[in-house]
Amino acid sequence: MILRSLAVGALTVLVCGQTAAQTSASSDSLSWSGIRPHFSLADGNFTLSPVGRLDLHGGSYFGQPDSLPDRFASGVNMRRGRVGLRGTALKDYAYNFTWEFGPSTPQEPPRGGRIFELSLAYKGLEGANFQIGAWTLPHTLAYASSSSEMLFIERPSITAMATSVASGDTRFAAGAEFFNKRVYGSAFATQGVASTPYDNDQRGVVGRFAWLALNGDVKMQVGFNGAYQAQPGSNTSATQRFRDYPELRLNSFRYVDTRSIPADASWAIGPELSGLVGKMYYAAEYQQIGVDALDGTNRSFGGWYVNVSYPLLGEPRRRADSNATWRRGRAHSLDFRGENWGALELAGGYSTVDLNDGPVHGGRQSIWSTALNWYPTDQLKLTAQYQNGSLGLPGPDRDFQSIAFSLIFSL
């Protein structure tokens, strides 16, 4: 409850202080950033912008053995459906409140949604960001990158598992980031997950470091990240579990699954590599995941991915200093009369994860993927993706293929 209470208290103080500041406001204004309105009040001491996000996914699996009774099923999914507010207060404080209406798992019945982000940050020092609340921590390269700019429809499975240790979406945390043109570093103390009840007893730390070693025609960024959690699991269950979908959330099957492991600690560490060769973007991460089981033994799992992309239309990806990630290149919005077609990006990649160790037979998953990403405007992204995967499970192995599509609208 420590970080949860601090976050709520900080936001309450900020709101009360800002209310007093507005009483002496002398000028208010409304401006626009694309289609997003931006309100400025109290001589710029308070700003406000709406946040909106809609992700629609759909696809079909094929190439599975007909004899299997539990094959991956085709389907559609509202992966994300977010509304919220963000802005600044007293000029140096940034706040974000976002509510998530999308289901946390496929086929979850409507529950009215849950908190996705509730955070307050101090940005008064150049090259620094101090933050507290619940949000998606910039733990790995994949999770530091916006989900609207991913090369594929979902992040690699190994990064989803690594971030479940002590970061991931809606994690209560407090910490700081420091950055300049070449170096980035962050460290956070973490607690439970805001969207999961009875998660308050967890205690963790998360950190990431990245250095832009080459910055010429060839750009190369090297980095390292790690996470540690004491008292894993909910308040009523000291366990750790790793599992994931086949990098698509079209149905509820998660075949690679360690099941619950009674544990008193868990950790994840790994290097990252990313950059540009000419216009071609590349990114790779490896993660080693460990569990200190209550029976006195240790469990070790691992995985990695390699992704590449090339812009067919528009500029190449560019580095964002504030979080050491690579954002999609700029492009003119779609205009058929002016022959502007937005940005078009071709991507390919391979990911693998192995959850077998000792008595734990969680399975193996390997997936080849290719995707075509079209950004007709700054707010819209359309993706067509093909997967060719294999699963090594207790019993017969199985292969699968899939075709999937996504539409992402961001405000």
Side-chain angles (χ1 to χ4, degrees):
M1 292 293 291
I2 298 173
L3 294 178
R4 187 192 303 262
S5 301
L6 286 174
V8 174
L11 288 170
T12 301
V13 170
L14 181 64
V15 171
C16 293
Q18 188 55 44
T19 301
Q22 289 187 39
T23 60
S24 60
S26 59
S27 64
D28 302 336
S29 65
L30 169 64
S31 59
W32 294 84
S33 176
I35 63 173
R36 177 190 290 132
H38 178 80
F39 299 91
S40 180
L41 308 173
D43 284 340
N45 282 293
F46 183 78
T47 65
L48 174 71
S49 294
V51 175
R53 177 72 178 274
L54 178 64
D55 286 23
L56 300 178
H57 295 179
S60 178
Y61 288 95
F62 58 98
Q64 302 177 89
D66 294 334
S67 59
L68 293 175
D70 53 351
R71 292 175 293 168
F72 290 124
S74 305
V76 295
N77 183 29
M78 185 180 78
R79 179 69 172 87
R80 299 173 181 90
R82 299 171 186 164
V83 294
L85 299 170
R86 69 183 180 190
T88 60
L90 305 178
K91 296 186 177 180
D92 291 332
Y93 294 89
Y95 65 89
N96 190 328
F97 171 73
T98 304
W99 191 260
E100 174 68 85
F101 289 97
S104 59
T105 60
Q107 287 78 51
E108 179 187 53
R111 303 181 187 276
R114 62 195 185 280
I115 290 176
F116 177 74
E117 180 163 354
L118 177 66
S119 68
L120 175 66
Y122 176 71
K123 299 176 179 289
L125 297 177
E126 183 177 358
N129 176 45
F130 300 88
Q131 193 161 349
I132 187 170
W135 77 101
T136 302
L137 298 182
H139 168 193
T140 66
L141 174 63
Y143 268 78
S145 304
S146 170
S147 58
S148 66
E149 298 190 345
M150 297 186 301
L151 296 185
F152 301 106
I153 291 178
E154 295 286 351
R155 294 180 173 97
S157 286
I158 186 59
T159 61
M161 296 179 191
T163 54
S164 71
V165 170
S167 59
D169 293 342
T170 73
R171 179 72 68 170
F172 279 106
E177 300 171 272
F178 301 93
F179 52 89
N180 58 31
K181 295 291 185 181
R182 302 292 290 265
V183 177
Y184 168 89
S186 64
F188 299 93
T190 70
Q191 205 171 306
V193 177
S195 56
T196 302
Y198 314 117
D199 232 13
N200 301 321
D201 281 350
Q202 297 182 35
R203 300 290 184 272
V205 291
V206 172
R208 177 173 175 245
F209 172 81
W211 171 47
L212 186 61
L214 300 177
N215 194 26
D217 293 336
V218 175
K219 301 182 187 298
M220 183 178 69
Q221 177 176 283
V222 295
F224 187 84
N225 54 72
Y228 176 84
Q229 183 186 115
Q231 299 175 291
S234 66
N235 292 350
T236 59
S237 176
T239 62
Q240 183 69 70
R241 184 178 188 177
F242 298 103
R243 56 179 175 168
D244 195 37
Y245 305 92
E247 298 179 8
L248 286 176
R249 290 195 176 196
L250 301 181
N251 59 67
S252 58
F253 289 150
R254 285 179 277 187
Y255 286 122
V256 281
D257 187 350
T258 63
R259 310 305 193 271
S260 294
I261 303 172
D264 56 16
S266 59
W267 50 267
I269 57 173
E272 62 180 66
L273 180 70
S274 61
L276 293 169
V277 178
K279 293 184 176 182
M280 186 186 74
Y281 167 69
Y282 62 92
E285 290 187 86
Y286 172 82
Q287 288 289 329
Q288 187 72 29
I289 300 173
V291 177
D292 295 336
L294 289 179
D295 63 7
T297 62
N298 295 328
R299 303 284 178 260
S300 182
F301 315 109
W304 54 275
Y305 74 87
V306 175
N307 291 337
V308 296
S309 70
Y310 190 86
L312 303 179
L313 294 173
E315 299 177 356
R317 289 195 169 236
R318 63 191 192 277
R319 186 176 184 270
D321 298 336
S322 61
N323 59 4
T325 64
W326 302 84
R327 303 194 62 187
R328 71 174 180 90
R330 299 181 182 89
H332 296 292
S333 294
L334 182 65
D335 178 6
F336 293 111
R337 292 174 299 176
E339 298 184 353
N340 293 322
W341 291 77
L344 190 65
E345 180 180 51
L346 179 65
Y350 174 79
S351 70
T352 184
V353 61
D354 188 343
L355 299 183
N356 296 321
D357 185 40
V360 178
H361 301 286
R364 301 185 313 277
Q365 176 178 278
S366 299
I367 300 175
W368 292 91
S369 300
T370 185
L372 190 64
N373 300 315
W374 182 33
Y375 306 87
T377 71
D378 290 338
Q379 293 78 33
L380 189 62
K381 175 186 177 183
L382 301 171
T383 295
Q385 176 178 306
Y386 166 77
Q387 286 184 332
N388 190 317
S390 63
L391 293 165
L393 305 171
D397 294 351
R398 61 181 72 187
D399 299 329
F400 66 90
Q401 298 180 65
S402 69
I403 294 288
F405 304 90
S406 74
L407 182 151
I408 298 176
F409 174 79
S410 302
L411 177 64

